[in-house]
Amino acid sequence: MTTLNLSLKQVHQLAYDALASNGCNHDNATAIADTITAAERDLCHSHGLFRLPGYIASLKSGKVNGNSVPSVEKLAPAVLRTDGDDGYAPLALQAARDPLVECARENGIAAMSMIKVHHFAALWVEIESLTEKGLAAMAFTAYTPSVAPAGGIKPFFGTNPMAFGWPRPNGNPMVWDQATATQARGEVMIAARDGHELPPGVGIDKDGNPSTDPNAVLEGCLLPFGGYKGASIALMIELLVGPLIGERCSFEAAAADTKDGGPPRGGELIIAIDPSRFGSTEDPFGHADRLFNELLTIDGTRLPGDRRVKNRAISATGGISIPQSLKDKIDQLMQ
């Protein structure tokens, strides 16, 4: 495969130009380009430029509002709602961040629902921005059916990712972000593109047979991690980002989607927590660091997110590598 090296500045400019030339205004294009660049910076290619054709397909089809103006309202003392105006999630998240931080500091905890958005990125981006403000946080979202329920062989749940972050005043925050599926669907798509096999147990083909062929799994479905345990968490997330906040569950998002290749409309729930407001008689961050340090005394361990931080040092100096075919495809989308 022929590859191309790009600096992070070039990644951002490429993403911005492609979005701006296909119906995104400056604010939306900048917010999405920021998110794409963050994914490439952390070498999470499945959520970087790889997603750009999907973003653009949704703009061209008219499914997504590239000129969206998100709005935030308070529903209760510690409950906020952000209406994304049928746009992409990054700009809505920017609009919601400061009100959510203020609400969490005032009440000790705050929840923010996000509706009428199209979410196509990794969750750690929004979680990390909250840990930088000294807050612990968690986030949940759903997608279209791509994961079988435990005991089933047909897709029902989205990959339904969840993320959690803990601030560390004297170091990098501890942030993890994971699907409730055995693997993110984007990673399976990249494996199919690059001709790689999947590890055993990731998914099944359309007839329900275990398969390591990514193309067969994409035609069939992924499996939940841990069987019934992962499926139960996926069900919980469906409830948190569907019925709880008045948005679509995965099966409803699929039924309403235009099938243009971009993300369906859905919701997200973010919970932000101020650790200083929960009654600990000692510094909660110092206490947490004792936990982390004890964990790291065990050979072979690392904190979640450490690899992502190391990847940033690599990409900051050496840039990132993408398939030339992806760059050519993006160029064509700007013509």
Side-chain angles (χ1 to χ4, degrees), residues 226-256:
Y228 285 94
K229 295 180 180 180
S232 295
I233 296 173
L235 180 58
M236 176 192 75
I237 292 172
E238 294 279 349
L239 292 168
L240 292 177
V241 303
L244 179 68
I245 67 174
E247 255 296 353
R248 295 166 176 165
C249 298
S250 292
F251 80 96
E252 294 167 324

Side-chain angles (χ1 to χ4, degrees), residues 48-314:
L49 290 170
F50 173 74
R51 297 285 188 181
L52 196 50
Y55 280 112
I56 292 172
S58 297
L59 291 168
K60 286 185 171 181
S61 72
K63 180 172 71 178
V64 175
N65 179 10
N67 298 298
S68 63
V69 181
S71 59
V72 183
E73 63 177 320
K74 180 174 283 191
L75 302 181
V79 181
L80 304 175
R81 178 169 64 191
T82 299
D83 186 322
D85 192 24
D86 288 319
Y88 284 116
L91 189 62
L93 288 160
Q94 285 186 13
R97 188 171 297 123
D98 287 347
L100 178 61
V101 169
E102 181 181 350
C103 192
R105 286 177 176 163
E106 179 181 350
N107 296 287
I109 187 170
M112 190 275 291
S113 64
M114 193 159 58
I115 62 171
K116 297 181 183 177
V117 292
H118 298 259
H119 200 295
F120 215 29
L123 289 173
W124 88 76
V125 177
E126 46 255 51
I127 290 299
E128 192 168 279
S129 69
L130 293 171
T131 62
E132 290 170 352
K133 301 291 187 179
L135 302 176
M138 59 188 77
F140 311 90
T141 193
Y143 194 54
T144 55
S146 54
V147 180
I153 62 170
K154 301 297 182 184
F156 181 74
F157 298 123
T159 51
N160 292 12
M162 54 186 173
F164 174 79
W166 180 269
R168 302 182 70 197
N170 298 316
N172 295 310
M174 190 285 295
V175 179
W176 57 256
D177 176 358
Q178 63 190 48
T180 50
T182 49
Q183 197 170 83
R185 182 172 170 83
E187 293 174 353
V188 178
M189 295 168 70
I190 286 183
R193 182 196 69 186
D194 296 347
H196 298 153
E197 282 201 342
L198 300 173
V202 168
I204 54 179
D205 65 20
K206 61 183 180 180
D207 297 317
N209 301 308
S211 179
T212 58
D213 179 350
N215 291 294
V217 171
L218 290 171
E219 290 183 5
C221 56
L222 291 158
L223 295 172
F225 76 79
Y228 285 94
K229 295 180 180 180
S232 295
I233 296 173
L235 180 58
M236 176 192 75
I237 292 172
E238 294 279 349
L239 292 168
L240 292 177
V241 303
L244 179 68
I245 67 174
E247 255 296 353
R248 295 166 176 165
C249 298
S250 292
F251 80 96
E252 294 167 324
D257 193 37
T258 60
K259 309 296 190 293
D260 57 15
R265 199 197 83 188
E268 180 178 355
L269 178 69
I270 301 178
I271 300 172
I273 303 166
D274 185 348
S276 68
R277 299 288 302 277
F278 274 73
S280 176
T281 57
E282 61 176 309
D283 172 22
F285 304 112
H287 193 171
D289 277 344
R290 293 206 305 274
L291 169 68
F292 297 146
N293 292 335
E294 187 68 20
L295 170 64
L296 294 174
T297 64
I298 303 173
D299 288 343
T301 62
R302 62 177 172 84
L303 292 184
D306 279 358
R307 182 174 57 186
R308 193 161 54 241
V309 173
K310 290 179 180 178
N311 287 342
R312 292 175 188 179
I314 296 171

Side-chain angles (χ1 to χ4, degrees), residues 11-68:
V11 168
H12 192 280
Q13 192 64 55
L14 179 62
Y16 178 91
D17 289 345
L19 292 159
S21 64
N22 282 281
C24 263
N25 63 16
H26 173 74
D27 289 346
N28 276 279
T30 300
I32 299 166
D34 288 348
T35 297
I36 287 174
T37 304
E40 293 290 358
R41 176 201 64 195
D42 292 2
L43 305 187
C44 179
H45 302 304
S46 62
H47 289 82
L49 290 170
F50 173 74
R51 297 285 188 181
L52 196 50
Y55 280 112
I56 292 172
S58 297
L59 291 168
K60 286 185 171 181
S61 72
K63 180 172 71 178
V64 175
N65 179 10
N67 298 298
S68 63

